[in-house]
Amino acid sequence: MIDKNVMSTTPAARKPIMTLYSGTSDPWSHRTRIVLFEKDIECQIVDVDVNKKPRELGELNPYNQVPTMVDRDLVLYESNIINEYLDERLPHPPLMPVDPVSRARARLMLVRFDRDWYGLIRDITGGDKKSATKARHTLRDGLTVISPIFKEQPFALGEEFSLVDCSLAPLLWRLDHWDIELPRQAKPILDYANKLFQRKSFKLSLTEAEKAMRTPSR
Ligand SMILES: N[C@@H](CCC(=O)N[C@@H](CS)C(=O)NCC(=O)O)C(=O)O
């Protein structure tokens, strides 16, 4: 079933020109929703149940996947591409560094998260027991390895919140839900995660299904 919500981030009388087809619990859509709220972008969010995808999604996106974004006659898919487009289309607040070297490094991190960690999600959520356990351990160990970064700096790229944080947040939010417990030495990344979860944009980005993934006290 499709549920249409209009995010009222700008004057109510204005009709949103952007539409995001968004999975109600998938982490790829989640990172795009964080970007939308971080930038206060007026957008119609179409909640998609991935087991009952609307026909129009397949007409818009050859891979028939969420997230898919429509901005007038432009149709985009692949969350990293959507997110960079949003950052360029509505530059405030900026979510990518300005200089080419730092931008390239940020893109490399985004690709590595996708290949190394987002690529594990199918095994974690739908794989056989052995591959699910292996995938959980890989994610746990990877996050533990990068944890010391957050002793030195508040965000993934340094002082500023960026698209890289938007990409990490959905994974960190799902750790309990996926039965992944980080070891004690990963405290810096858990503190960082809690800081991300306190952001207004993050709170607004959560669907009901995502809210149910963590108990409020955690
Ligand atoms: N690389 C894509 C991944 C998108 C993706 O895997 N979407 C899943 C979310 S559950 C989906 O739509 N699956 C339904 C399907 O493939 O039929 C991105 O970053 O947007």
Side-chain angles (χ1 to χ4, degrees), residues 9-187:
T9 52
T10 41
R14 242 172 56 199
K15 203 169 171 272
I17 50 166
M18 290 189 193
T19 301
L20 177 73
Y21 291 81
S22 160
T24 46
S25 57
D26 92 78
W28 297 273
S29 298
H30 190 184
R31 53 191 185 184
T32 295
R33 278 184 264 117
I34 298 171
V35 174
L36 287 177
F37 283 102
E38 193 66 38
K39 288 175 172 285
D40 249 2
I41 297 172
E42 190 182 7
C43 180
Q44 180 185 48
I45 295 187
V46 179
D47 286 338
V48 173
D49 172 349
V50 288
N51 300 311
K52 270 192 254 163
K53 289 180 279 194
R55 185 152 23 105
E56 72 222 67
L57 186 64
E59 289 160 4
L60 292 165
N61 175 344
Y63 303 103
N64 200 7
Q65 286 190 326
V66 281
T68 294
M69 162 148 278
V70 184
D71 184 14
R72 296 196 180 91
D73 54 355
L74 174 70
V75 179
L76 291 176
Y77 36 88
E78 284 298 321
S79 50
N80 285 332
I81 292 178
I82 299 173
N83 292 351
E84 277 215 47
Y85 170 74
L86 291 173
D87 195 43
E88 289 173 4
R89 168 109 154 70
L90 295 125
H92 297 287
L95 295 179
M96 280 289 272
V98 233
D99 70 286
V101 171
S102 308
R103 287 172 81 83
R105 286 201 176 117
R107 290 191 183 108
L108 208 50
M109 284 175 97
L110 291 169
V111 167
R112 290 213 55 188
F113 291 168
D114 273 5
R115 292 177 70 139
D116 297 354
W117 297 340
Y118 273 80
L120 300 168
I121 294 171
R122 281 191 180 89
D123 277 346
I124 292 175
T125 57
D128 57 73
K129 202 165 171 234
K130 197 168 156 220
S131 17
T133 304
K134 188 166 172 250
R136 280 192 184 95
H137 289 172
T138 306
L139 182 54
R140 178 198 63 194
D141 296 346
L143 292 172
T144 306
V145 166
I146 67 159
S147 181
I149 293 175
F150 298 103
K151 263 199 276 195
E152 313 296 327
Q153 58 192 50
F155 297 110
L157 294 183
E159 293 304 311
E160 304 297 333
F161 180 84
S162 72
L163 291 187
V164 181
D165 303 295
C166 295
S167 189
L168 273 175
L171 292 178
L172 294 167
W173 181 255
R174 286 159 174 76
L175 291 179
D176 291 348
H177 181 64
W178 288 339
D179 237 350
I180 296 173
E181 195 177 343
L182 298 191
R184 221 169 339 144
Q185 68 263 35
K187 187 175 181 304

